[in-house]
Amino acid sequence: MAARVVEETKNTIYHFGPDLIRSTYLEKYPKPRQLGRLQATAGPHKSGGDPHIAGRALDIILDATVEEERAIADQLVDVFLSMRERMRWGGLIYNGEEWNSAGIKFPRTGSVINRHLSHIHIEWGARSAEQVDPDDFKPLLICMLMQVR
């Protein structure tokens, strides 16, 4: 069930979000290759209790150093923040900022990866991932995503 909220969110963003989401990006590390912008499954570098492994996290690859991508990411962050209570996510990280489940923002420090300069990270806690029904937020999320350009 936990993976359902992530997969439904991923599919909704893909189908109703900005056109850029349906493109690929050129990953810089460790070697260039084309990858999708929506990533839910854990890569080989993840281990232990990572929320991607548990099916509770989604990464949306939008580079904060690229103006067009950052503008779209900022809009998506605003959408997720406004949908916080309905989506019941537990954490949101992008561009050196993090929001907890109460919507409180604080700085995210550390490496480029840890600050999430290359992507939005949204995750659900174990309990909320099991309890939230994507059908309860999808219609409103679709309407909001269609405004992001």
Side-chain angles (χ1 to χ4, degrees):
M1 179 72 164
R4 181 171 179 255
V5 70
V6 173
E7 282 303 311
E8 290 286 339
T9 300
K10 177 182 169 184
N11 291 337
T12 302
I13 294 168
Y14 182 84
H15 291 291
F16 298 98
D19 292 340
L20 183 63
I21 293 297
R22 286 178 287 285
S23 73
T24 56
Y25 78 99
L26 183 64
E27 187 182 35
K28 299 173 189 172
Y29 312 101
K31 62 182 181 179
R33 61 182 183 211
Q34 295 290 321
L35 295 173
R37 291 190 180 267
L38 295 169
Q39 299 178 9
T41 56
H45 63 292
K46 301 289 185 180
S47 62
D50 184 271
H52 289 281
I53 293 172
R56 298 184 291 105
L58 173 65
D59 288 341
I60 306 166
I61 311 301
L62 293 165
D63 193 330
T65 66
V66 177
E67 186 176 342
E68 175 191 14
E69 293 188 23
R70 185 181 62 251
I72 289 172
D74 288 344
Q75 291 176 66
L76 289 174
V77 166
D78 287 343
V79 166
F80 295 136
L81 289 170
S82 68
M83 297 282 299
R84 178 183 55 80
E85 289 183 15
R86 282 186 185 239
M87 294 180 79
R88 295 176 30 190
W89 46 260
L92 178 66
I93 310 167
Y94 182 65
N95 196 16
E97 298 177 320
E98 182 171 357
W99 295 262
N100 64 18
S101 61
I104 298 170
K105 179 172 83 170
F106 50 95
R108 179 80 176 201
T109 60
S111 69
V112 169
I113 296 295
N114 194 54
R115 288 182 290 152
H116 291 72
L117 299 182
S118 63
H119 65 284
I120 297 169
H121 172 90
I122 183 169
E123 76 176 74
W124 287 260
R127 185 177 303 155
S128 64
E130 293 294 332
Q131 294 174 346
V132 68
D133 182 351
D135 293 335
D136 291 341
F137 66 75
K138 274 177 48 179
L140 183 57
L141 181 59
I142 289 167
C143 291
M144 296 184 84
L145 286 171
M146 292 179 75
Q147 304 304 311
V148 176
R149 298 290 164 232

